Every structure is written in structure tokens, then in C-alpha cells.
Amino acid sequence: QVQLVESGGGLVQPGGSLRLSCVVSRGTLDYYNTGWFRQAPGKEREGVSCLSSSDGSTHYADSVKGRFTISIDKIKKTVTLQMNKVKPEDTAVYYCATDLLSCTLYRGTYYRRNNNWGQGTQVTVSS
């Protein structure tokens, strides 16, 4: 059973920065792609960013491209999402996952091998 613990969320003003972390307490980062998702009230969970396990390439939803950066520390088994120039529409609960089947978005999300989710971390962008 893969255990994921997200942290780093909070209240931030528009244009500010926030750094989210995802600690993988159980499981591996070696076999599937790693990514971040988010879900706002009344909306479907959407894919935000994906890091390819095959070549290390990074992928982003158009809505966050150029502002967010995904990275991974395989020794500490931690996935990070650096959020810069945040906007009110970034407000959502953010989740990480380590079993993305690909880094291609389909209908706004990434397909996963399993559906295990952590508690997520709340990001609120407001002045």
C-alpha cells in the first residue's frame, strides 16, 4: 500500500509563491510517472503536472505552465510542486500520486494504475 502525505498548503496572496511537498512513506517512485492533481469545490479532479519516470521530462496543464515546477527527490522519496505567480483560480486541494500511466492529459486528468489518495493539502489564493 502506497502512502502519500501532502503538505505545504496555506493561504497566499495572488502573485505569491508556495511550495508543496509529497512524502511517499511507502512504495516506490521507480516504476510509474509521478504527478500532482487538484480539485476545487464543484469541479472534477484535474491533472496539474507530471514527471516522466522514463526520461525525467516534465509536463504541465496549460493553466499552470510557466508558473509551476514539479521535481522529485528519490532519496528522500519526496515530490515537490513549486507554485509561483499563483492566481485565485489555483485555489484547490492538491494531491500527489506516483502511479500515473502516462504524462498525457485525457479529459483534463492523468490516468493512474490505482486510486489511492492522500489527504491532500489546501491551497487558497486570496487577497
Side-chain angles (χ1 to χ4, degrees):
Q1 179 71 35
V2 176
Q3 296 181 356
L4 309 168
V5 180
E6 298 93 344
S7 64
L11 177 63
V12 61
Q13 295 183 347
S17 297
L18 206 61
R19 185 179 178 89
L20 308 183
S21 295
C22 171
V23 177
V24 184
S25 57
R26 294 180 63 186
T28 180
L29 302 172
D30 298 328
Y31 295 101
Y32 296 95
N33 307 302
T34 302
W36 284 90
F37 302 76
R38 68 185 182 187
Q39 187 168 26
K43 294 185 176 181
E44 298 290 319
R45 196 192 309 270
E46 63 178 347
V48 175
S49 181
C50 180
L51 192 153
S52 174
S53 63
S54 62
D55 61 6
S57 62
T58 57
H59 307 259
Y60 304 92
D62 289 341
S63 59
V64 307
K65 192 171 300 181
R67 301 186 298 116
F68 292 6
T69 302
I70 186 173
S71 61
I72 187 171
D73 186 333
K74 292 188 176 182
I75 297 178
K76 296 183 178 180
K77 298 182 67 175
T78 301
V79 184
T80 298
L81 184 68
Q82 179 66 47
M83 306 169 59
N84 297 324
K85 300 179 180 180
V86 296
K87 303 176 180 180
E89 50 263 45
D90 295 323
T91 297
V93 178
Y94 284 72
Y95 305 87
C96 65
T98 61
D99 61 351
L100 281 63
L101 298 181
S102 79
C103 282
T104 300
L105 284 169
Y106 294 97
R107 300 186 66 182
T109 193
Y110 304 107
Y111 286 124
R112 298 182 58 189
R113 175 64 180 84
N114 301 305
N115 65 344
N116 52 301
W117 300 99
Q119 294 300 306
T121 185
Q122 175 71 54
V123 172
T124 302
V125 182
S126 176
S127 60

